[in-house]
Amino acid sequence: MSIGHTLLGLLESGPRHGYDLKRAFDASFGHDRPLHYGQVYSTMSRLLKNGLVEVDGIEAGGGPERKRYAITEAGVTDVAQWLATPEKPEPYLQSTLYTKVVLALLTERDAADVLDTQRSEHLRSMRVLTDRKRKGDLADQLICDHALFHLEADLRWLELTAARLDKLREAVAR
């Protein structure tokens, strides 16, 4: 995820302080990985340097000064271009799990155990996500569906690989 683009997008609704940006980010996107304040301020500093945001006001308080940031026209253009650019699909051709299965076979360990252990972990994760989806709002439901669909694809791969272990063992033994 591009934190900079996300913060810029959040600023399109109006100027905000770093604290408010963090809260808005966490509410919409940070359920599992909240943004650290340091990330907000270092990102805002970079966006300011690049002319994508400007300081809209500074307020003195009991602590450090609070800067209120506003998006610039260049920032709006940058967000629009980012939104219009498709994400590159990740084909997962360098899978750690595949590596573990092959190494298990090469070292004469039980690759089926590796697959079974991973299957159990995937199923546990799917139960947690399904529970979260059931209790969550629409945003939670959509992000959980995304994760669940990926886990389902992984499970299909685990089953296919388990069915082909003997052939894979022969192929890697050459």
Side-chain angles (χ1 to χ4, degrees):
M1 174 188 309
S2 171
I3 293 171
H5 286 112
T6 306
L7 295 177
L8 282 172
L10 291 171
L11 282 173
E12 283 202 40
S13 65
R16 298 182 191 211
H17 296 96
Y19 176 80
D20 297 326
L21 284 168
K22 180 202 174 343
R23 282 192 7 227
F25 180 98
D26 289 351
S28 295
F29 311 107
H31 294 293
D32 296 316
R33 236 184 277 161
L35 202 54
H36 297 284
Y37 285 105
Q39 287 177 284
V40 173
Y41 294 110
S42 64
T43 302
M44 295 312 295
S45 176
R46 189 179 73 253
L47 295 172
L48 187 62
K49 185 175 85 174
N50 293 335
L52 302 176
V53 299
E54 61 191 9
V55 175
D56 185 59
I58 298 176
E59 299 172 10
E65 293 180 331
R66 290 178 39 150
K67 292 179 185 174
R68 188 174 55 243
Y69 299 96
I71 191 168
T72 63
E73 285 302 316
V76 171
T77 300
D78 196 57
V79 171
Q81 289 173 345
W82 179 67
L83 290 173
T85 304
E87 291 297 309
K88 181 181 176 195
E90 296 183 32
Y92 301 106
L93 294 177
Q94 290 295 323
S95 166
T96 303
L97 184 54
Y98 173 77
T99 302
K100 286 183 173 186
V101 170
V102 171
L103 282 175
L105 292 171
L106 289 172
T107 58
E108 299 183 11
R109 290 181 172 91
D110 192 347
D113 283 350
V114 172
L115 293 169
D116 288 342
T117 299
Q118 192 62 51
R119 184 181 304 105
S120 295
E121 184 59 21
H122 269 61
L123 291 171
R124 185 201 61 75
S125 184
M126 290 176 82
R127 284 190 296 275
V128 169
L129 286 166
T130 301
D131 187 54
R132 176 177 164 182
K133 177 182 168 181
R134 190 177 311 113
K135 296 175 183 173
D137 60 9
L138 180 59
D140 254 358
Q141 293 169 12
L142 289 171
I143 197 68
C144 287
D145 279 339
H146 186 264
L148 285 164
F149 293 151
H150 282 275
L151 290 170
E152 287 173 5
D154 286 350
L155 282 175
R156 287 193 308 269
W157 181 86
L158 290 166
E159 295 301 324
L160 179 66
T161 303
R164 294 180 174 174
L165 268 183
D166 290 335
K167 287 182 181 179
L168 183 59
R169 183 177 291 108
E170 289 173 18
V172 298
R174 294 180 193 169

